[in-house]
Short mmCIF file of all heavy atoms in Angstrom, two decimals:
data_model
loop_
_atom_site.label_atom_id
_atom_site.label_comp_id
_atom_site.label_asym_id
_atom_site.label_seq_id
_atom_site.Cartn_x
_atom_site.Cartn_y
_atom_site.Cartn_z
N MET A 1 -53.12 -45.04 59.71
CA MET A 1 -53.72 -46.37 59.80
C MET A 1 -53.61 -47.06 58.32
O MET A 1 -53.71 -46.36 57.28
CB MET A 1 -55.21 -46.24 60.07
CG MET A 1 -56.05 -47.52 60.18
SD MET A 1 -57.68 -47.08 60.70
CE MET A 1 -58.52 -48.60 60.07
N ALA A 2 -53.31 -48.24 58.36
CA ALA A 2 -53.02 -48.97 57.11
C ALA A 2 -54.26 -49.03 56.24
O ALA A 2 -55.36 -49.19 56.80
CB ALA A 2 -52.49 -50.37 57.38
N ASP A 3 -54.07 -48.91 54.90
CA ASP A 3 -55.15 -49.01 53.95
C ASP A 3 -55.03 -50.11 53.02
O ASP A 3 -53.96 -50.26 52.36
CB ASP A 3 -55.14 -47.66 53.19
CG ASP A 3 -56.23 -47.46 52.16
OD1 ASP A 3 -56.98 -48.56 51.87
OD2 ASP A 3 -56.47 -46.47 51.75
N LYS A 4 -55.96 -51.02 53.02
CA LYS A 4 -55.81 -52.23 52.19
C LYS A 4 -55.79 -51.89 50.56
O LYS A 4 -55.40 -52.68 49.75
CB LYS A 4 -57.02 -53.29 52.37
CG LYS A 4 -58.35 -52.65 52.02
CD LYS A 4 -59.45 -53.66 52.36
CE LYS A 4 -60.82 -53.20 52.23
NZ LYS A 4 -61.80 -54.02 52.62
N ASN A 5 -56.23 -50.62 50.17
CA ASN A 5 -56.04 -50.19 48.95
C ASN A 5 -54.71 -49.68 48.49
O ASN A 5 -54.40 -49.23 47.36
CB ASN A 5 -57.08 -49.08 48.58
CG ASN A 5 -58.49 -49.66 48.69
OD1 ASN A 5 -58.83 -50.75 48.26
ND2 ASN A 5 -59.43 -49.02 49.45
N ASN A 6 -53.76 -49.69 49.50
CA ASN A 6 -52.42 -49.18 49.31
C ASN A 6 -51.44 -50.08 49.74
O ASN A 6 -50.43 -49.78 50.38
CB ASN A 6 -52.39 -47.83 50.07
CG ASN A 6 -51.26 -47.01 49.44
OD1 ASN A 6 -50.83 -47.10 48.39
ND2 ASN A 6 -50.76 -46.06 50.32
N LYS A 7 -51.58 -51.38 49.46
CA LYS A 7 -50.59 -52.39 49.79
C LYS A 7 -49.32 -52.33 49.13
O LYS A 7 -49.22 -51.81 47.98
CB LYS A 7 -51.11 -53.72 49.48
CG LYS A 7 -52.43 -54.25 50.23
CD LYS A 7 -52.71 -55.76 49.81
CE LYS A 7 -53.95 -56.09 50.54
NZ LYS A 7 -54.39 -57.46 50.00
N VAL A 8 -48.11 -52.69 49.82
CA VAL A 8 -46.92 -52.68 49.13
C VAL A 8 -47.19 -53.88 47.93
O VAL A 8 -47.66 -54.82 48.23
CB VAL A 8 -45.77 -53.24 50.06
CG1 VAL A 8 -44.56 -53.51 49.32
CG2 VAL A 8 -45.55 -52.16 51.13
N PRO A 9 -46.79 -53.50 46.75
CA PRO A 9 -47.24 -54.26 45.58
C PRO A 9 -46.74 -55.75 45.80
O PRO A 9 -47.45 -56.77 45.31
CB PRO A 9 -46.54 -53.60 44.42
CG PRO A 9 -46.35 -52.28 44.82
CD PRO A 9 -46.09 -52.35 46.33
N GLU A 10 -45.58 -56.11 46.34
CA GLU A 10 -45.10 -57.42 46.56
C GLU A 10 -45.76 -58.25 47.44
O GLU A 10 -45.65 -59.52 47.60
CB GLU A 10 -43.54 -57.40 46.90
CG GLU A 10 -42.67 -56.82 45.82
CD GLU A 10 -42.52 -55.32 45.92
OE1 GLU A 10 -43.28 -54.59 46.67
OE2 GLU A 10 -41.53 -54.79 45.33
N ASN A 11 -46.71 -57.66 48.30
CA ASN A 11 -47.35 -58.38 49.31
C ASN A 11 -48.25 -59.54 48.73
O ASN A 11 -48.93 -59.40 47.81
CB ASN A 11 -48.40 -57.42 49.98
CG ASN A 11 -48.78 -57.85 51.45
OD1 ASN A 11 -48.15 -57.48 52.34
ND2 ASN A 11 -49.74 -58.63 51.57
N VAL A 12 -48.05 -60.74 49.31
CA VAL A 12 -48.90 -61.92 48.73
C VAL A 12 -50.34 -61.72 49.02
O VAL A 12 -50.74 -61.00 50.11
CB VAL A 12 -48.45 -63.26 49.35
CG1 VAL A 12 -47.03 -63.65 48.80
CG2 VAL A 12 -48.49 -63.30 50.76
N PRO A 13 -51.18 -62.16 48.23
CA PRO A 13 -52.64 -62.10 48.46
C PRO A 13 -53.02 -62.67 49.77
O PRO A 13 -52.60 -63.70 50.21
CB PRO A 13 -53.35 -62.75 47.33
CG PRO A 13 -52.30 -62.82 46.29
CD PRO A 13 -50.92 -62.89 46.92
N GLY A 14 -53.98 -61.97 50.39
CA GLY A 14 -54.44 -62.39 51.76
C GLY A 14 -54.74 -61.27 52.77
O GLY A 14 -54.57 -60.17 52.37
N PRO A 15 -55.26 -61.58 53.88
CA PRO A 15 -55.65 -60.54 54.94
C PRO A 15 -54.48 -59.60 55.30
O PRO A 15 -54.60 -58.44 55.61
CB PRO A 15 -56.25 -61.36 56.01
CG PRO A 15 -55.74 -62.69 55.90
CD PRO A 15 -55.50 -62.91 54.47
N TRP A 16 -53.31 -60.14 55.55
CA TRP A 16 -52.13 -59.47 56.13
C TRP A 16 -51.40 -58.75 55.01
O TRP A 16 -51.07 -59.29 54.01
CB TRP A 16 -51.31 -60.36 56.94
CG TRP A 16 -51.95 -60.85 58.17
CD1 TRP A 16 -52.72 -61.91 58.29
CD2 TRP A 16 -51.79 -60.22 59.42
NE1 TRP A 16 -53.13 -61.96 59.61
CE2 TRP A 16 -52.58 -61.07 60.35
CE3 TRP A 16 -51.08 -59.07 59.94
CZ2 TRP A 16 -52.80 -60.73 61.71
CZ3 TRP A 16 -51.33 -58.78 61.29
CH2 TRP A 16 -52.08 -59.59 62.04
N TYR A 17 -51.07 -57.39 55.33
CA TYR A 17 -50.40 -56.60 54.37
C TYR A 17 -49.65 -55.44 55.11
O TYR A 17 -49.87 -55.12 56.20
CB TYR A 17 -51.22 -56.05 53.31
CG TYR A 17 -52.25 -55.17 53.92
CD1 TYR A 17 -52.11 -53.74 53.93
CD2 TYR A 17 -53.52 -55.48 54.51
CE1 TYR A 17 -53.00 -52.88 54.45
CE2 TYR A 17 -54.42 -54.74 54.90
CZ TYR A 17 -54.14 -53.30 54.99
OH TYR A 17 -55.04 -52.42 55.49
N VAL A 18 -48.63 -54.90 54.37
CA VAL A 18 -48.01 -53.67 54.79
C VAL A 18 -48.45 -52.53 53.91
O VAL A 18 -48.51 -52.59 52.60
CB VAL A 18 -46.44 -53.79 54.62
CG1 VAL A 18 -45.75 -52.55 55.00
CG2 VAL A 18 -45.98 -55.02 55.58
N ASP A 19 -48.72 -51.35 54.53
CA ASP A 19 -49.21 -50.21 53.71
C ASP A 19 -47.98 -49.48 53.12
O ASP A 19 -46.96 -49.25 53.66
CB ASP A 19 -49.79 -49.27 54.68
CG ASP A 19 -50.42 -47.99 54.09
OD1 ASP A 19 -49.51 -47.19 53.42
OD2 ASP A 19 -51.64 -47.84 54.02
N ASN A 20 -47.97 -49.26 51.77
CA ASN A 20 -46.97 -48.73 50.94
C ASN A 20 -46.61 -47.29 51.29
O ASN A 20 -45.44 -46.91 51.17
CB ASN A 20 -47.39 -48.88 49.45
CG ASN A 20 -46.15 -48.77 48.58
OD1 ASN A 20 -45.08 -49.42 48.84
ND2 ASN A 20 -46.32 -48.08 47.41
N GLU A 21 -47.46 -46.60 51.76
CA GLU A 21 -47.26 -45.17 52.22
C GLU A 21 -46.55 -45.08 53.45
O GLU A 21 -45.82 -44.27 53.82
CB GLU A 21 -48.41 -44.35 52.08
CG GLU A 21 -49.15 -44.15 50.75
CD GLU A 21 -48.24 -43.28 49.87
OE1 GLU A 21 -47.75 -42.26 50.32
OE2 GLU A 21 -48.11 -43.49 48.65
N LEU A 22 -47.11 -45.89 54.47
CA LEU A 22 -46.79 -45.74 55.84
C LEU A 22 -45.36 -46.33 56.27
O LEU A 22 -44.74 -45.95 57.12
CB LEU A 22 -47.80 -46.26 56.76
CG LEU A 22 -49.24 -45.63 56.56
CD1 LEU A 22 -50.28 -46.32 57.54
CD2 LEU A 22 -49.06 -44.10 57.04
N CYS A 23 -44.99 -47.49 55.65
CA CYS A 23 -43.84 -48.06 56.01
C CYS A 23 -42.52 -47.28 55.66
O CYS A 23 -42.29 -46.70 54.58
CB CYS A 23 -43.71 -49.49 55.26
SG CYS A 23 -42.13 -50.41 55.64
N THR A 24 -41.64 -47.11 56.65
CA THR A 24 -40.58 -46.13 56.54
C THR A 24 -39.27 -46.64 55.81
O THR A 24 -38.68 -45.79 55.05
CB THR A 24 -40.16 -45.68 58.04
OG1 THR A 24 -40.02 -46.80 58.90
CG2 THR A 24 -41.16 -44.62 58.42
N PRO A 25 -38.76 -47.74 55.86
CA PRO A 25 -38.95 -48.86 56.62
C PRO A 25 -37.98 -49.01 57.91
O PRO A 25 -36.74 -48.93 57.71
CB PRO A 25 -38.76 -50.05 55.70
CG PRO A 25 -37.67 -49.60 54.79
CD PRO A 25 -37.81 -48.02 54.83
N CYS A 26 -38.53 -49.13 58.98
CA CYS A 26 -37.69 -49.11 60.29
C CYS A 26 -37.10 -50.42 60.62
O CYS A 26 -36.19 -50.60 61.47
CB CYS A 26 -38.55 -48.52 61.40
SG CYS A 26 -39.83 -49.60 61.93
N ARG A 27 -37.65 -51.48 60.00
CA ARG A 27 -37.33 -52.94 60.22
C ARG A 27 -37.66 -53.55 61.47
O ARG A 27 -37.26 -54.74 61.68
CB ARG A 27 -35.81 -53.20 59.87
CG ARG A 27 -34.80 -52.78 60.87
CD ARG A 27 -33.46 -53.56 60.62
NE ARG A 27 -33.64 -54.95 61.27
CZ ARG A 27 -33.36 -56.02 60.57
NH1 ARG A 27 -32.86 -55.94 59.38
NH2 ARG A 27 -33.54 -57.20 61.10
N VAL A 28 -38.33 -52.86 62.40
CA VAL A 28 -38.61 -53.36 63.67
C VAL A 28 -39.52 -54.65 63.47
O VAL A 28 -39.26 -55.67 64.26
CB VAL A 28 -39.35 -52.35 64.57
CG1 VAL A 28 -39.85 -53.04 65.90
CG2 VAL A 28 -38.54 -51.28 64.89
N CYS A 29 -40.32 -54.69 62.57
CA CYS A 29 -41.30 -55.76 62.34
C CYS A 29 -40.59 -57.09 61.83
O CYS A 29 -41.01 -58.19 62.23
CB CYS A 29 -42.36 -55.54 61.45
SG CYS A 29 -41.86 -55.10 59.77
N LEU A 30 -39.34 -56.94 61.25
CA LEU A 30 -38.64 -58.05 60.82
C LEU A 30 -38.22 -58.91 61.94
O LEU A 30 -37.97 -60.15 61.70
CB LEU A 30 -37.41 -57.59 59.87
CG LEU A 30 -37.97 -56.77 58.57
CD1 LEU A 30 -36.68 -56.42 57.84
CD2 LEU A 30 -38.76 -57.69 57.73
N ASP A 31 -37.85 -58.31 63.01
CA ASP A 31 -37.40 -59.03 64.12
C ASP A 31 -38.46 -59.98 64.79
O ASP A 31 -38.19 -60.91 65.42
CB ASP A 31 -36.83 -58.10 65.30
CG ASP A 31 -35.61 -57.45 64.79
OD1 ASP A 31 -34.89 -58.10 63.94
OD2 ASP A 31 -35.32 -56.44 65.25
N GLU A 32 -39.68 -59.53 64.58
CA GLU A 32 -40.85 -60.31 65.08
C GLU A 32 -41.36 -61.33 64.19
O GLU A 32 -41.82 -62.38 64.78
CB GLU A 32 -42.11 -59.23 65.30
CG GLU A 32 -41.82 -58.18 66.26
CD GLU A 32 -41.41 -58.56 67.60
OE1 GLU A 32 -42.11 -59.47 68.14
OE2 GLU A 32 -40.54 -57.91 68.24
N ALA A 33 -41.31 -61.21 62.99
CA ALA A 33 -41.78 -62.13 62.06
C ALA A 33 -40.93 -62.41 60.75
O ALA A 33 -41.50 -62.08 59.69
CB ALA A 33 -43.29 -61.83 61.66
N PRO A 34 -39.72 -62.74 60.93
CA PRO A 34 -38.90 -62.93 59.71
C PRO A 34 -39.36 -63.99 58.89
O PRO A 34 -38.95 -64.07 57.68
CB PRO A 34 -37.49 -63.21 60.42
CG PRO A 34 -37.78 -63.73 61.73
CD PRO A 34 -38.94 -63.08 62.07
N GLU A 35 -40.12 -65.00 59.37
CA GLU A 35 -40.76 -66.05 58.37
C GLU A 35 -41.83 -65.66 57.62
O GLU A 35 -42.41 -66.37 56.82
CB GLU A 35 -41.09 -67.29 59.31
CG GLU A 35 -42.01 -67.04 60.39
CD GLU A 35 -41.27 -66.51 61.75
OE1 GLU A 35 -40.79 -67.21 62.45
OE2 GLU A 35 -41.38 -65.33 61.83
N LEU A 36 -42.31 -64.28 57.74
CA LEU A 36 -43.53 -63.75 57.08
C LEU A 36 -43.18 -62.49 56.23
O LEU A 36 -43.73 -62.35 55.28
CB LEU A 36 -44.63 -63.49 58.08
CG LEU A 36 -45.10 -64.65 59.00
CD1 LEU A 36 -46.12 -64.03 60.02
CD2 LEU A 36 -45.67 -65.79 58.25
N ILE A 37 -42.27 -61.66 56.88
CA ILE A 37 -42.04 -60.30 56.33
C ILE A 37 -40.60 -60.27 55.92
O ILE A 37 -39.79 -60.65 56.49
CB ILE A 37 -42.37 -59.26 57.45
CG1 ILE A 37 -43.87 -59.48 57.88
CG2 ILE A 37 -42.10 -57.88 56.79
CD1 ILE A 37 -44.04 -58.58 59.22
N ARG A 38 -40.39 -59.55 54.73
CA ARG A 38 -38.93 -59.26 54.26
C ARG A 38 -38.97 -57.98 53.53
O ARG A 38 -40.04 -57.43 53.11
CB ARG A 38 -38.42 -60.44 53.55
CG ARG A 38 -39.15 -60.63 52.11
CD ARG A 38 -38.39 -61.85 51.45
NE ARG A 38 -39.18 -62.23 50.28
CZ ARG A 38 -39.35 -63.55 49.78
NH1 ARG A 38 -38.65 -64.51 50.41
NH2 ARG A 38 -39.94 -63.69 48.75
N TYR A 39 -37.80 -57.46 53.28
CA TYR A 39 -37.56 -56.27 52.56
C TYR A 39 -37.95 -56.51 50.99
O TYR A 39 -37.70 -57.57 50.58
CB TYR A 39 -36.07 -55.85 52.56
CG TYR A 39 -35.65 -55.10 53.71
CD1 TYR A 39 -34.67 -55.53 54.55
CD2 TYR A 39 -36.22 -53.86 53.90
CE1 TYR A 39 -34.21 -54.72 55.50
CE2 TYR A 39 -35.78 -53.06 55.02
CZ TYR A 39 -34.81 -53.52 55.92
OH TYR A 39 -34.36 -52.74 56.95
N ASN A 40 -38.38 -55.51 50.39
CA ASN A 40 -38.46 -55.55 48.83
C ASN A 40 -37.07 -55.40 48.27
O ASN A 40 -36.06 -55.28 48.96
CB ASN A 40 -39.37 -54.48 48.39
CG ASN A 40 -39.00 -53.06 48.59
OD1 ASN A 40 -38.01 -52.90 49.28
ND2 ASN A 40 -39.74 -52.13 48.11
N ALA A 41 -36.99 -55.49 46.98
CA ALA A 41 -35.72 -55.67 46.33
C ALA A 41 -34.70 -54.47 46.71
O ALA A 41 -33.49 -54.67 46.88
CB ALA A 41 -35.83 -55.73 44.88
N ASP A 42 -35.21 -53.23 46.75
CA ASP A 42 -34.29 -52.13 46.93
C ASP A 42 -34.42 -51.71 48.35
O ASP A 42 -33.91 -50.54 48.71
CB ASP A 42 -34.65 -51.00 45.93
CG ASP A 42 -36.12 -50.52 46.07
OD1 ASP A 42 -36.82 -51.01 46.86
OD2 ASP A 42 -36.40 -49.52 45.39
N GLU A 43 -34.97 -52.49 49.19
CA GLU A 43 -35.11 -52.24 50.76
C GLU A 43 -35.68 -50.82 51.08
O GLU A 43 -35.34 -50.19 51.96
CB GLU A 43 -33.70 -52.39 51.38
CG GLU A 43 -33.13 -53.74 51.16
CD GLU A 43 -31.84 -54.01 51.96
OE1 GLU A 43 -31.47 -53.11 52.65
OE2 GLU A 43 -31.43 -55.18 51.92
N THR A 44 -36.67 -50.43 50.30
CA THR A 44 -37.47 -49.18 50.50
C THR A 44 -38.74 -49.48 51.30
O THR A 44 -39.34 -48.56 51.85
CB THR A 44 -37.77 -48.48 49.33
OG1 THR A 44 -38.60 -49.42 48.44
CG2 THR A 44 -36.53 -48.02 48.53
N LYS A 45 -39.15 -50.70 51.39
CA LYS A 45 -40.45 -51.20 52.01
C LYS A 45 -40.24 -52.63 52.48
O LYS A 45 -39.23 -53.30 52.05
CB LYS A 45 -41.62 -51.07 51.17
CG LYS A 45 -41.85 -49.76 50.46
CD LYS A 45 -42.40 -48.65 51.45
CE LYS A 45 -42.47 -47.42 50.78
NZ LYS A 45 -42.72 -46.32 51.63
N VAL A 46 -41.14 -53.02 53.48
CA VAL A 46 -41.19 -54.53 53.67
C VAL A 46 -42.57 -54.96 53.17
O VAL A 46 -43.43 -54.11 52.99
CB VAL A 46 -40.89 -54.80 55.18
CG1 VAL A 46 -39.61 -54.23 55.63
CG2 VAL A 46 -42.04 -54.23 56.14
N TYR A 47 -42.79 -56.19 53.08
CA TYR A 47 -44.01 -56.79 52.75
C TYR A 47 -44.15 -58.32 53.30
O TYR A 47 -43.10 -58.87 53.59
CB TYR A 47 -44.16 -56.79 51.18
CG TYR A 47 -43.27 -57.76 50.50
CD1 TYR A 47 -43.60 -58.89 50.05
CD2 TYR A 47 -41.83 -57.34 50.26
CE1 TYR A 47 -42.70 -59.80 49.33
CE2 TYR A 47 -40.98 -58.14 49.55
CZ TYR A 47 -41.33 -59.37 49.19
OH TYR A 47 -40.55 -60.14 48.53
N PHE A 48 -45.40 -58.71 53.28
CA PHE A 48 -45.64 -60.15 53.64
C PHE A 48 -45.30 -60.98 52.37
O PHE A 48 -46.21 -60.86 51.46
CB PHE A 48 -47.12 -60.35 54.12
CG PHE A 48 -47.32 -59.91 55.52
CD1 PHE A 48 -47.50 -58.67 55.93
CD2 PHE A 48 -47.35 -60.82 56.58
CE1 PHE A 48 -47.65 -58.24 57.29
CE2 PHE A 48 -47.52 -60.52 57.91
CZ PHE A 48 -47.69 -59.20 58.27
N PHE A 49 -44.35 -61.87 52.49
CA PHE A 49 -44.11 -62.82 51.42
C PHE A 49 -44.93 -64.07 51.73
O PHE A 49 -45.04 -64.93 50.83
CB PHE A 49 -42.55 -62.95 51.25
CG PHE A 49 -41.90 -63.70 52.34
CD1 PHE A 49 -41.84 -65.10 52.47
CD2 PHE A 49 -41.33 -63.01 53.40
CE1 PHE A 49 -41.10 -65.79 53.49
CE2 PHE A 49 -40.68 -63.68 54.42
CZ PHE A 49 -40.67 -64.98 54.49
N LYS A 50 -45.44 -64.32 52.87
CA LYS A 50 -46.21 -65.36 53.22
C LYS A 50 -47.31 -64.99 54.14
O LYS A 50 -47.13 -64.09 54.98
CB LYS A 50 -45.41 -66.44 53.98
CG LYS A 50 -46.04 -67.70 54.32
CD LYS A 50 -45.11 -68.55 55.06
CE LYS A 50 -45.79 -69.92 55.40
NZ LYS A 50 -47.02 -69.82 56.20
N GLN A 51 -48.62 -65.44 53.99
CA GLN A 51 -49.57 -65.13 55.00
C GLN A 51 -49.46 -66.12 56.12
O GLN A 51 -49.03 -67.30 56.06
CB GLN A 51 -51.00 -65.47 54.29
CG GLN A 51 -51.34 -64.35 53.30
CD GLN A 51 -51.67 -63.07 53.80
OE1 GLN A 51 -52.21 -62.96 54.95
NE2 GLN A 51 -51.26 -61.99 53.12
N PRO A 52 -49.76 -65.59 57.35
CA PRO A 52 -49.50 -66.45 58.53
C PRO A 52 -50.52 -67.61 58.70
O PRO A 52 -51.57 -67.44 58.19
CB PRO A 52 -49.80 -65.49 59.76
CG PRO A 52 -50.61 -64.37 59.16
CD PRO A 52 -50.22 -64.34 57.80
N GLU A 53 -50.01 -68.78 59.17
CA GLU A 53 -50.89 -69.96 59.31
C GLU A 53 -50.50 -70.52 60.75
O GLU A 53 -49.32 -70.51 61.18
CB GLU A 53 -50.48 -71.13 58.32
CG GLU A 53 -50.78 -70.66 56.91
CD GLU A 53 -50.38 -71.68 55.92
OE1 GLU A 53 -49.21 -72.18 56.04
OE2 GLU A 53 -51.07 -71.92 54.93
N GLY A 54 -51.51 -70.98 61.42
CA GLY A 54 -51.35 -71.60 62.83
C GLY A 54 -50.53 -70.74 63.81
O GLY A 54 -50.86 -69.50 63.94
N ASP A 55 -49.40 -71.13 64.29
CA ASP A 55 -48.73 -70.43 65.30
C ASP A 55 -48.11 -69.13 64.64
O ASP A 55 -47.68 -68.17 65.51
CB ASP A 55 -47.59 -71.29 65.83
CG ASP A 55 -48.08 -72.41 66.64
OD1 ASP A 55 -49.28 -72.50 67.02
OD2 ASP A 55 -47.19 -73.34 66.84
N GLU A 56 -48.07 -69.03 63.36
CA GLU A 56 -47.46 -67.80 62.76
C GLU A 56 -48.35 -66.57 63.04
O GLU A 56 -47.89 -65.41 62.86
CB GLU A 56 -47.15 -68.06 61.33
CG GLU A 56 -46.18 -69.06 60.95
CD GLU A 56 -46.05 -69.34 59.54
OE1 GLU A 56 -47.03 -69.14 58.80
OE2 GLU A 56 -45.07 -69.89 59.17
N LEU A 57 -49.66 -66.81 63.27
CA LEU A 57 -50.60 -65.72 63.43
C LEU A 57 -50.19 -64.83 64.63
O LEU A 57 -50.16 -63.62 64.47
CB LEU A 57 -51.93 -66.31 63.75
CG LEU A 57 -53.01 -65.25 63.84
CD1 LEU A 57 -53.17 -64.40 62.67
CD2 LEU A 57 -54.39 -65.85 64.15
N ALA A 58 -49.66 -65.35 65.73
CA ALA A 58 -49.18 -64.55 66.87
C ALA A 58 -48.00 -63.80 66.40
O ALA A 58 -47.87 -62.56 66.89
CB ALA A 58 -48.81 -65.53 68.02
N LYS A 59 -47.12 -64.21 65.47
CA LYS A 59 -45.95 -63.45 65.00
C LYS A 59 -46.43 -62.28 64.21
O LYS A 59 -45.93 -61.21 64.28
CB LYS A 59 -45.02 -64.35 64.34
CG LYS A 59 -44.49 -65.39 65.21
CD LYS A 59 -43.30 -66.14 64.75
CE LYS A 59 -42.80 -67.09 65.79
NZ LYS A 59 -41.43 -67.49 65.44
N ALA A 60 -47.42 -62.53 63.39
CA ALA A 60 -48.00 -61.38 62.57
C ALA A 60 -48.59 -60.33 63.53
O ALA A 60 -48.49 -59.14 63.26
CB ALA A 60 -48.95 -61.98 61.56
N GLN A 61 -49.16 -60.77 64.49
CA GLN A 61 -49.90 -59.75 65.43
C GLN A 61 -48.85 -59.01 66.16
O GLN A 61 -49.00 -57.79 66.39
CB GLN A 61 -50.77 -60.58 66.43
CG GLN A 61 -52.04 -61.10 65.72
CD GLN A 61 -52.79 -62.20 66.57
OE1 GLN A 61 -52.23 -62.80 67.34
NE2 GLN A 61 -54.10 -62.32 66.33
N SER A 62 -47.68 -59.67 66.62
CA SER A 62 -46.61 -59.05 67.25
C SER A 62 -46.06 -57.96 66.31
O SER A 62 -45.68 -56.83 66.75
CB SER A 62 -45.52 -59.95 67.64
OG SER A 62 -45.95 -60.83 68.74
N ALA A 63 -45.80 -58.37 65.02
CA ALA A 63 -45.32 -57.38 63.92
C ALA A 63 -46.22 -56.16 63.89
O ALA A 63 -45.77 -55.02 63.93
CB ALA A 63 -45.13 -58.08 62.72
N ARG A 64 -47.56 -56.44 63.81
CA ARG A 64 -48.46 -55.33 63.74
C ARG A 64 -48.32 -54.40 65.05
O ARG A 64 -48.34 -53.11 64.92
CB ARG A 64 -49.81 -55.87 63.64
CG ARG A 64 -50.96 -54.73 63.61
CD ARG A 64 -52.33 -55.38 63.64
NE ARG A 64 -52.52 -56.22 64.79
CZ ARG A 64 -53.54 -57.03 65.03
NH1 ARG A 64 -54.32 -57.32 63.98
NH2 ARG A 64 -53.60 -57.70 66.09
N ASP A 65 -48.23 -55.01 66.24
CA ASP A 65 -48.22 -54.31 67.41
C ASP A 65 -46.98 -53.40 67.69
O ASP A 65 -47.12 -52.37 68.21
CB ASP A 65 -48.42 -55.26 68.61
CG ASP A 65 -49.70 -55.96 68.72
OD1 ASP A 65 -50.65 -55.46 67.92
OD2 ASP A 65 -49.90 -56.93 69.48
N VAL A 66 -45.82 -53.87 67.17
CA VAL A 66 -44.65 -53.04 67.31
C VAL A 66 -44.37 -51.97 66.20
O VAL A 66 -43.55 -51.13 66.39
CB VAL A 66 -43.33 -54.03 67.36
CG1 VAL A 66 -43.39 -54.93 68.52
CG2 VAL A 66 -43.05 -54.62 66.00
N CYS A 67 -45.13 -52.00 65.17
CA CYS A 67 -44.91 -51.09 63.99
C CYS A 67 -45.32 -49.74 64.54
O CYS A 67 -46.44 -49.36 64.94
CB CYS A 67 -45.75 -51.46 62.79
SG CYS A 67 -45.59 -50.28 61.53
N PRO A 68 -44.18 -48.77 64.58
CA PRO A 68 -44.54 -47.49 65.04
C PRO A 68 -45.32 -46.56 64.07
O PRO A 68 -45.98 -45.48 64.39
CB PRO A 68 -43.15 -46.79 65.20
CG PRO A 68 -42.31 -47.62 64.25
CD PRO A 68 -42.91 -49.03 64.22
N GLN A 69 -45.52 -47.04 62.89
CA GLN A 69 -46.27 -46.32 61.84
C GLN A 69 -47.71 -46.89 61.65
O GLN A 69 -48.47 -46.35 60.86
CB GLN A 69 -45.64 -46.46 60.44
CG GLN A 69 -44.25 -45.92 60.50
CD GLN A 69 -44.08 -44.38 60.81
OE1 GLN A 69 -45.00 -43.66 60.36
NE2 GLN A 69 -43.08 -44.01 61.62
N ALA A 70 -48.09 -47.93 62.41
CA ALA A 70 -49.34 -48.60 62.11
C ALA A 70 -49.56 -49.01 60.68
O ALA A 70 -50.58 -48.75 60.13
CB ALA A 70 -50.58 -47.78 62.63
N ALA A 71 -48.50 -49.50 60.14
CA ALA A 71 -48.46 -49.88 58.69
C ALA A 71 -48.87 -51.20 58.34
O ALA A 71 -49.01 -51.63 57.22
CB ALA A 71 -46.97 -49.57 58.18
N ILE A 72 -49.07 -52.02 59.40
CA ILE A 72 -49.51 -53.43 59.22
C ILE A 72 -50.89 -53.65 59.60
O ILE A 72 -51.30 -53.20 60.71
CB ILE A 72 -48.57 -54.35 60.07
CG1 ILE A 72 -47.06 -54.17 59.60
CG2 ILE A 72 -48.96 -55.79 60.01
CD1 ILE A 72 -46.03 -55.02 60.35
N ALA A 73 -51.68 -54.41 58.79
CA ALA A 73 -53.04 -54.62 59.10
C ALA A 73 -53.46 -56.00 58.57
O ALA A 73 -52.73 -56.56 57.73
CB ALA A 73 -53.95 -53.55 58.67
N ASP A 74 -54.64 -56.50 59.06
CA ASP A 74 -55.12 -57.69 58.51
C ASP A 74 -56.48 -57.70 57.88
O ASP A 74 -57.26 -58.62 57.92
CB ASP A 74 -55.00 -58.80 59.72
CG ASP A 74 -55.92 -58.46 60.83
OD1 ASP A 74 -56.54 -57.31 60.84
OD2 ASP A 74 -56.28 -59.30 61.69
N ASP A 75 -56.82 -56.56 57.34
CA ASP A 75 -58.18 -56.45 56.86
C ASP A 75 -58.13 -56.53 55.29
O ASP A 75 -59.13 -56.00 54.67
CB ASP A 75 -58.74 -55.10 57.38
CG ASP A 75 -58.04 -53.81 56.96
OD1 ASP A 75 -56.82 -54.04 56.44
OD2 ASP A 75 -58.71 -52.81 56.84
N GLY A 76 -57.01 -56.88 54.66
CA GLY A 76 -56.98 -57.04 53.34
C GLY A 76 -57.73 -58.23 52.80
O GLY A 76 -58.36 -58.91 53.63
N GLU A 77 -57.66 -58.60 51.40
CA GLU A 77 -58.37 -59.75 50.97
C GLU A 77 -57.42 -60.83 50.59
O GLU A 77 -56.29 -60.53 50.37
CB GLU A 77 -59.22 -59.29 49.67
CG GLU A 77 -60.47 -58.68 50.12
CD GLU A 77 -60.41 -57.17 49.68
OE1 GLU A 77 -59.77 -56.84 48.79
OE2 GLU A 77 -60.98 -56.46 50.50
S1 LIG B 1 -42.35 -51.88 61.62
FE1 LIG B 1 -43.85 -50.85 60.27
S2 LIG B 1 -42.65 -48.99 59.47
FE2 LIG B 1 -41.18 -50.53 60.38
S3 LIG B 1 -40.42 -51.84 58.65
FE3 LIG B 1 -42.17 -52.81 59.66
S4 LIG B 1 -44.05 -52.11 58.49
FE4 LIG B 1 -42.40 -50.74 58.02
#
């Protein structure tokens, strides 16, 4: 389960984040929300470069739902 105290460092501030320990990165979530999530510089993790707004919320939820590691959550600050 994702831990808000262990965000990928590049994650923008806000409720949605990727857990730095759990992300493999398998890249499945990138297909769901490419307007919100991308690889870090060395492609070892992914992170939210934008917090979802409006219709993007459903895409963030889809990304969370497909993550096989349960590495995406929305209980951050
Ligand atoms: S689906 Fe989960 S494990 Fe795969 S890249 Fe996205 S956050 Fe990482």
